[in-house]
Amino acid sequence: MTSLLDSDDEVMLRDAARGFLDSNAPVAALRANRDEGRAHDPVLWRDMAAMGWAGVLIPETAGGADMGHRAAGILAHEMGVTLAASPFLSSAVIAATTLRHAAGARAHDALAGIAAGEVTYALAVDEGPKHAPERSALSAERAGNGYRLSGAKTFVADGASAGRVLVLARTSGTPGQAAGLSLFDIDADRAGLSRRPLDTVDARDHARLDFDGVEATGDDLLGEADDAMRLLRPALEAGQAALAAELAGLAGGISAMTLGYLKERRQFGRTIGSFQALQHRAAHLWAETEVTASAIANAGRVLDETPDDATLAVSLAKARATRTADLAVREGIQMHGGIGMTDDHDAGFFMKRARVGAEWLGDYGYHAARVAAARGF
Amino acid sequence: MTTAASDLETFRAEIAGWIATACPDGLRNRPMNEDRIVWGGRRWVFDDDDQRIWLERAIDKGITAPRWPVEYGGGGISRAHEKILREEMTRLGAPPPLESFGLWMLGPALLAFGSDEQKARHLPPITRGEIRWCQGYSEPGAGSDLANVQTRAEDMGDHYLINGQKIWTSYADQADWIFALVRTDREAPKHKGISFLLMDMESPGISTRPIRLISGKSPFCETFFDNVKVPRENLVGEVNRGWDIAKYLLTHEREMIGGGARGLLGGRSLGAFLGDLGADVLDDPVIRAEAMAAEVDTLAFAMTMDRYKDRAEAGSGVGDASAMLKYYGTELNKRRYELLMTAAGSDALQWDGPHGALAPEWLRTKANSIEGGTSEVMLDIIAKRVLELPGA
Ligand SMILES: Cc1cc2nc3c(=O)[nH]c(=O)nc-3n(C[C@H](O)[C@H](O)[C@H](O)COP(=O)(O)OP(=O)(O)OC[C@H]3O[C@@H](n4cnc5c(N)ncnc54)[C@H](O)[C@@H]3O)c2cc1C
């Protein structure tokens, strides 16, 4: 496999992303979004699309930049550092991967729309408080030439703002079975679909979606009926790897802020960073961050090189990143003392996004169990 | 495939074929433990002919020190090739033909700091397993505070006169030579008065006294120096500049000790290993959860070792980050052995029980986070040199 070190091109991509995000999407921008009650800034997404980020996983024939999963991970990582809010994961990673696997003229057009920054997507999978696609109960019953969708999805990332929704519905079988699920691609304004924004701690867009006899045509069905997992598995894995990268970036962002504070804040006549009790905790955190960075790079490489065999690599990355981000934000808040508890300070934004990222697309236990299964126990 | 990649794949096929014929069947896939290591040296006695034959063939092939220059008995291959060699050895169940402090520590230091004469004299016998080295760093008053070494070397013109004591000298009683830190200037600040000296353990005035470990074994010693005469040419690098060599050598030692954690189960998963201990071991929810977490961390750590090897290969070196590799790898190894002990229950409590020497191995892992610099010292190095946090 290609080395886990960044290639020269990757270093350039990382530097460019960092420069752009530092000036265009600092934590202050997330704060402004929150205070102004919007999920993300459309101008920011337009700029990202112009740089090819929206098309990072989209073929050039559909107007994409087709840079691959490692590149998507690098972008997601840098977005994590500044907590940049955008439809990147939902649209450019998850929906793009789904549609790419779906193929066909319609998917091609949809991909072109994403790459151009004109169309955004949300993936509606989960119905309960834990990630469990195969437990989907939302039903798609045959009605004439098409389907009628009834049920509810919760914790749908970008669900309130997206223009289109990929919804996982049951066409046969019973909840708990992976077989019998189908994936539909519908516009978010369709009659019978109501979207209720959830006021989540990370100030990002998450929504509950209620489907009350929403009509879908055979054309809206992506891939084969009863076989959603063929499209969804690679899409979820791409999303999990990129989310893991975002969490690793988030850990890096709060760690840098914390180290800065350790070097600046004085108590007992010395900088607090000179206390060994804090030094060792900061050093331990850095060690965890480095070990996680390897798992993130590895997941990107494996998705690019052997995508059909990526479950272990992806779950390893998501498990590690979840724990590392958790450690980084807990240590970050604690080492800032009282100031870290205030809303005026940025540290809290990192903690809240880390908690949401920990749950989205599978928590630590979910992914550790997949690692264990892949390793034969 | 690029030419570099196809070159590596050709090498993989070639070396795998060689290992398959060169490594005697009797050695293949035997569980590895400390007792089976071939250390070499003047007094070395092989367990059996297989070990001897394997070492002889490995010497001919130049793979006891794969990356050292060919002129000094090495294999002259790159890190990438060495990695493939190790992967194929693991895959084929071939044990390392030779391990030693000479290979791990002194060799790299001599290659970086030694004179041409010193390299020509000392490196080839290391690659052939003829001379066994031990490490004389620690003293009763100089452990974590290593720069506080007090063993004196007085300049007597054509030789140095050594007086003092080392402690925790692993295998000093079986080693042929020792590389040691000695004080050559007592007035200078402590880091600036240290030199790096090579001594024949047969020199008059050197004596050793074994110390017994909690694992029941006695691999280390006190080492005493009583008016020992050492020729001038045995000083490596410049006089009073030994601390630089000492630190360079430590980064190699730390990378090696940290990396030891991933070899343990021969690439098998911890869960599979635990499953073999007893069918229902993994039904215990606590053991299962801890095993999963340990597996996650083990895999990610192995990737980190690879990433840092690639970084070293690319020329940016591992440097102070070796402290992280050592810290993480050894703490992880301790965690894994605690888990193995818990999973094996009372079967693991005999010195030599149903699972072999699990208990002594478990006890031995406790030293991993002490030897070569303690975990606390590693965290200090990370905090100060990597994170650049201020001193008190
Ligand atoms: C199995 C084994 C093999 C060894 N082999 C060799 C060998 O071959 N050659 C050789 O030279 N040495 C060898 N050593 C010695 C080893 O390098 C030392 O034991 C080690 O450096 C620690 O020194 P010490 O034992 O004096 O402990 P101390 O330095 O006294 O440490 C005691 C405790 O205090 C902590 N501590 C010390 N300073 C600080 C600080 N500044 N901040 C926070 N905590 C601190 C330590 O982390 C430790 O927990 C070996 C040790 C072992 C266990």
Side-chain angles (χ1 to χ4, degrees):
Chain A
M1 197 177 61
T2 315
S3 164
L4 297 182
L5 296 178
D6 281 355
S7 68
D8 291 346
D9 283 351
E10 286 163 354
V11 171
M12 271 167 56
L13 178 69
R14 189 184 290 285
D15 289 349
R18 182 162 300 180
F20 172 80
L21 292 164
D22 273 347
S23 35
N24 292 278
V27 183
L30 174 65
R31 180 186 295 278
N33 287 344
R34 181 196 66 177
D35 294 346
E36 288 156 29
R38 70 175 170 214
H40 62 88
D41 175 1
V43 176
L44 178 69
W45 184 234
R46 197 197 58 207
D47 290 345
M48 288 179 173
M51 291 185 293
W53 297 6
V56 65
L57 294 175
I58 292 174
E60 287 174 12
T61 53
D66 206 7
M67 290 188 273
H69 292 277
R70 178 66 191 122
I74 287 170
L75 294 175
H77 180 278
E78 295 309 318
M79 293 179 199
V81 174
T82 64
L83 301 180
S86 83
F88 180 75
L89 286 179
S90 294
S91 296
V93 177
I94 298 174
T97 306
T98 314
L99 292 162
R100 204 169 172 164
H101 278 81
R106 196 183 141 162
H108 180 272
D109 293 347
L111 285 168
I114 295 175
E118 287 159 5
V119 181
T120 58
Y121 269 90
L123 174 70
V125 236
D126 290 319
E127 299 179 10
K130 287 289 174 186
H131 177 62
E134 65 290 344
R135 268 193 236 150
S136 285
L138 184 143
S139 71
E141 287 185 3
R142 290 229 62 130
N145 283 337
Y147 297 87
R148 188 169 287 130
L149 276 52
S150 300
K153 295 286 179 182
T154 191
F155 188 43
V156 178
D158 300 301
S161 60
R164 300 194 66 82
V165 179
L166 294 176
V167 57
L168 185 65
R170 189 158 287 286
T171 34
S172 70
T174 51
Q177 294 177 330
L181 291 167
S182 304
L183 199 59
F184 293 89
D185 176 357
I186 61 173
D187 52 277
D189 299 331
R190 204 162 283 188
L193 171 56
S194 53
R195 305 193 276 172
R196 183 160 60 81
L198 302 172
D199 193 11
T200 48
V201 292
D202 63 345
R204 302 275 290 260
D205 174 6
H206 299 277
R208 177 186 159 94
L209 271 55
D210 281 290
F211 293 76
D212 183 10
V214 175
E215 305 215 343
T217 66
D219 260 3
D220 296 332
L221 177 69
L222 286 182
E224 303 288 317
D226 293 340
D227 193 21
M229 284 304 169
R230 192 183 65 78
L231 303 180
L232 200 56
R233 187 191 52 80
L236 287 173
E237 288 181 354
Q240 286 154 348
L243 175 58
E246 183 197 315
L247 287 169
L250 180 156
I254 183 72
S255 296
M257 186 185 289
T258 306
L259 276 176
Y261 196 65
L262 290 180
K263 291 174 188 178
E264 160 200 316
R265 169 74 174 161
R266 292 180 70 82
Q267 284 291 280
F268 298 97
R270 49 199 270 209
T271 38
I272 56 171
S274 68
F275 292 117
Q276 197 187 46
L278 300 188
Q279 290 186 340
H280 283 193
R281 282 160 56 184
H284 172 75
L285 172 59
W286 182 75
E288 294 287 1
T289 308
E290 279 300 295
V291 172
T292 294
S294 313
I296 302 295
N298 180 66
R301 292 274 183 263
V302 171
L303 281 170
D304 284 334
E305 294 174 18
T306 51
D308 294 336
D309 195 14
T311 306
L312 171 64
V314 168
S315 283
L316 185 72
K318 178 65 165 66
R320 281 287 321 178
T322 297
R323 282 261 160 111
T324 301
D326 172 58
L327 179 69
V329 297
R330 282 190 286 111
E331 291 292 50
I333 296 268
Q334 180 66 21
M335 291 191 203
H336 275 87
I339 193 89
M341 287 300 295
T342 63
D343 185 65
D344 273 348
H345 197 274
D346 285 344
F349 283 89
F350 285 87
M351 176 166 273
K352 291 177 274 193
R353 178 62 181 167
R355 186 84 280 284
V356 172
E359 291 301 326
W360 190 23
L361 302 177
D363 66 4
Y364 181 84
Y366 178 89
H367 288 288
R370 284 162 78 94
V371 169
R375 293 283 289 165
F377 69 109
Chain B
M1 211 160 32
T2 63
T3 37
S6 72
D7 166 51
L8 288 178
E9 286 319 303
T10 311
F11 175 74
R12 185 186 294 281
E14 189 264 323
I15 203 71
W18 178 80
I19 296 167
T21 47
C23 182
D25 287 344
L27 293 183
R28 304 269 287 275
N29 293 309
R30 285 207 307 192
M32 201 54 202
N33 63 41
E34 232 177 329
D35 294 337
R36 298 234 171 87
I37 295 177
V38 175
W39 293 104
R42 288 182 192 134
R43 278 166 288 170
W44 183 253
V45 182
F46 291 100
D47 278 1
D48 51 38
D49 273 353
D50 283 348
Q51 277 187 342
R52 182 180 51 76
I53 291 167
W54 177 221
L55 176 57
E56 285 169 2
R57 289 176 179 165
I59 293 167
D60 282 349
K61 187 82 180 165
I63 59 149
T64 53
R67 285 192 297 117
W68 293 10
V70 176
E71 57 176 317
Y72 300 130
I77 61 177
S78 72
R79 269 192 189 250
H81 288 84
E82 182 190 25
K83 189 176 159 215
I84 289 180
L85 166 67
R86 301 219 185 282
E87 282 168 4
E88 291 305 307
M89 284 179 48
T90 306
R91 191 176 64 78
L92 294 165
L98 178 69
E99 297 191 56
S100 73
F101 289 17
L103 290 173
W104 291 332
M105 302 183 223
L106 180 65
L110 280 184
L111 284 168
F113 294 93
S115 65
D116 288 344
E117 294 76 39
Q118 286 167 340
K119 287 189 259 192
R121 177 175 175 200
H122 295 295
L123 294 178
I126 292 175
T127 66
R128 294 194 298 263
E130 290 164 5
I131 294 295
R132 181 169 180 183
W133 288 84
C134 63
Q135 177 186 32
Y137 275 29
S138 306
E139 296 180 7
S144 298
D145 186 9
L146 182 59
N148 194 40
V149 288
Q150 300 299 334
T151 296
R152 283 172 57 192
E154 273 177 277
D155 190 341
M156 311 297 282
D158 65 335
H159 68 272
Y160 290 100
L161 192 66
I162 318 301
N163 280 288
Q165 185 201 334
K166 296 288 172 183
I167 193 166
W168 320 132
T169 329
S170 293
Y171 307 111
D173 53 342
Q174 292 158 52
D176 307 307
W177 278 69
I178 183 169
F179 54 90
L181 298 181
V182 292
R183 185 151 302 281
T184 33
D185 186 341
R186 286 196 285 170
E187 311 306 323
K190 60 184 185 178
H191 296 88
K192 303 230 163 91
I194 297 171
S195 299
F196 193 97
L197 201 62
L198 311 176
M199 292 180 260
D200 189 332
M201 291 295 279
E202 283 174 6
S203 317
I206 300 189
S207 58
T208 61
R209 188 159 71 211
I211 309 170
R212 188 168 161 169
L213 251 59
I214 56 174
S215 60
K217 303 191 177 169
S218 171
F220 62 16
C221 300
E222 289 177 288
T223 307
F224 303 94
F225 303 88
D226 183 15
N227 287 321
V228 180
K229 283 182 171 182
V230 178
R232 281 190 88 80
E233 72 249 27
N234 288 8
L235 192 129
V236 180
E238 282 174 51
V239 73
N240 292 330
R241 299 288 295 275
W243 186 243
D244 295 338
I245 308 176
K247 280 196 304 183
Y248 177 84
L249 185 147
L250 280 170
T251 63
H252 282 266
E253 179 178 6
R254 287 168 186 162
E255 206 188 322
M256 187 274 300
I257 297 175
R262 75 169 164 177
L264 165 70
L265 307 173
R268 292 179 63 209
S269 87
L270 182 62
F273 194 91
L274 291 174
D276 285 354
L277 291 179
D280 48 5
V281 163
L282 288 167
D283 292 347
D284 179 321
V286 175
I287 292 181
R288 189 173 179 84
E290 287 183 6
M292 283 182 183
E295 188 73 17
V296 164
D297 295 343
T298 302
L299 291 170
F301 179 67
M303 289 167 190
T304 306
M305 288 295 293
D306 285 346
R307 189 159 66 88
Y308 271 91
K309 283 212 162 75
D310 288 347
R311 184 178 291 188
E313 173 96 313
S316 29
V318 171
D320 294 328
S322 67
M324 179 273 291
L325 299 174
K326 200 230 168 217
Y327 165 68
Y328 208 92
T330 58
E331 294 296 337
L332 183 58
N333 207 25
K334 288 197 294 184
R335 233 172 96 200
R336 300 199 308 177
Y337 266 95
E338 285 299 336
L339 203 50
L340 289 176
M341 289 299 285
T342 309
S346 64
D347 277 351
L349 301 181
Q350 300 166 68
W351 289 111
D352 193 4
H355 304 300
L358 191 53
E361 282 174 34
W362 157 69
L363 289 164
R364 180 63 182 80
T365 60
K366 303 303 177 197
N368 295 160
S369 52
I370 299 171
E371 59 197 333
T374 67
S375 283
E376 291 74 20
V377 169
M378 297 304 100
L379 291 171
D380 262 9
I381 290 173
I382 296 169
K384 302 228 165 67
R385 304 221 196 105
V386 180
L387 305 180
E388 297 177 332
L389 288 167

